[in-house]
Amino acid sequence: MSVVPTEAGPGTLRTAAGPRAGEPDVRRPRPGGGPAPLAARARLLPALGAVYRAQLSRARVARIPLLFVATFQSIGIMVLMRGIADGGAEARAVVSGSSVLVVAFVALNLLAQYFGHLRAGGGLDHYATLPVPPAAVVLGAAAAYASFTVPGTVVTAVTGSLLFHLPLGHLWVLGAVIPLSGAALAGLGAALGLLAPRPELATLCGQLGMSAALLLGVLPPGRLPAPVSYARDALPSTYGVEALARSFDARPDWLAVCADLGVCAAVGAVSLAAATWAYRRAAAR
């Protein structure tokens, strides 16, 4: 029980009924009526840059051991395939498929797991409260995970070229293969993680996608049965593999390389759009 001093006058106490005399009443509504407006929504490019830097910092800390695993896995596959593909088109297919497999491991498999756990743990609610466009969240995470694959992909491609005695002069094509294949696979991985009802299913879908990239991308296409080759054509990473494999020719068909990269870019745009739609759908629930 509290005691109020007798010296206190009626206008000297701050109570729930009103403010002290002479002070502004913060409870009064705005002159125009209604609540105060929220902050303006962030533009796409600044928001994309912020999400990209945050995700890249997080991936650099948490995913470096997995990048080593992905790189050593691809190099080990090339060593095993050395006795089967001794040279020619088969060697080019093995090296290019193993190089893009690093992108599939990180951008598809790990990103599907990330968004699956983010959805299950309520992390999407955090992003939903920020004035950030949904496309910035998806594109920023996809770009960060795709960028994270650059060292492992380059090391795998150089090691495979030396192992199979392939020319190194046109490996600059990786500068287009990595971002375009990464966009296609990261969009697919994000969509799988956001649409899966449980994180375990997101992990399973990511593992299955990486296994498909392993079997359909690394194995020489001439050794695949006809029905399986159709599935290979439907895999987004196939066109990045084909573009890199053509660059190992003595005189590459640059028109065909650009066509493969164009298909990869179109598939990447579609998959990222699907991932953005899946993010909006998951965040609205």
Side-chain angles (χ1 to χ4, degrees):
M1 182 174 182
S2 60
V3 178
V4 179
T6 57
E7 296 86 349
T12 60
L13 291 179
R14 189 195 304 254
T15 65
R20 181 178 295 175
E23 292 185 356
D25 189 352
V26 297
R27 301 170 303 152
R28 292 173 184 169
R30 297 174 61 248
L38 297 176
R41 193 174 187 85
R43 291 178 296 174
L44 177 61
L45 291 181
L48 175 60
V51 174
Y52 173 78
R53 289 190 297 270
Q55 291 291 339
L56 189 63
S57 176
R58 178 185 181 277
R60 185 170 58 247
V61 173
R63 304 301 185 186
I64 284 181
L66 294 176
L67 177 62
F68 280 111
V69 172
T71 305
F72 293 151
Q73 171 185 266
S74 295
I75 293 176
I77 290 172
M78 290 189 298
V79 172
L80 291 176
M81 296 294 292
R82 183 68 175 82
I84 301 175
D86 196 15
E90 293 183 345
R92 293 193 292 269
V94 170
V95 174
S96 58
S98 299
S99 301
V100 177
L101 181 61
V102 179
V103 182
F105 183 87
V106 177
L108 194 160
N109 183 26
L110 297 185
L111 198 58
Q113 296 181 34
Y114 169 71
F115 273 108
H117 288 286
L118 193 69
R119 177 186 177 185
L124 293 181
D125 297 335
H126 166 71
Y127 283 108
T129 60
L130 300 176
V132 177
V137 178
V138 175
L139 293 176
Y145 275 71
S147 301
F148 187 60
T149 66
V150 172
T153 306
V154 172
V155 169
T156 302
V158 172
T159 303
S161 300
L162 296 176
L163 185 63
F164 287 91
H165 307 290
L166 298 177
L168 299 171
H170 298 139
L171 282 183
W172 54 265
V173 176
L174 286 172
V177 171
I178 293 175
L180 295 179
S181 299
L185 294 171
L188 179 60
L192 291 175
L194 291 167
L195 293 175
R198 293 188 303 173
E200 296 82 5
L201 293 178
T203 301
L204 177 61
C205 291
Q207 292 284 351
L208 290 177
M210 190 197 67
S211 299
L214 168 61
L215 296 175
L216 301 179
V218 175
L219 293 178
R223 296 176 177 265
L224 297 176
V228 179
S229 63
Y230 298 140
R232 182 177 185 271
D233 294 336
L235 191 67
S237 60
T238 297
Y239 302 96
V241 172
E242 291 292 336
L244 183 58
R246 295 180 193 276
S247 69
F248 287 121
D249 294 337
R251 292 185 176 181
D253 185 353
W254 295 115
L255 184 61
V257 171
C258 292
D260 289 328
L261 293 176
V263 173
C264 199
V267 174
V270 172
S271 65
L272 289 173
T276 303
W277 170 82
Y279 171 83
R280 288 195 181 99
R281 179 176 179 270
R285 288 190 170 185

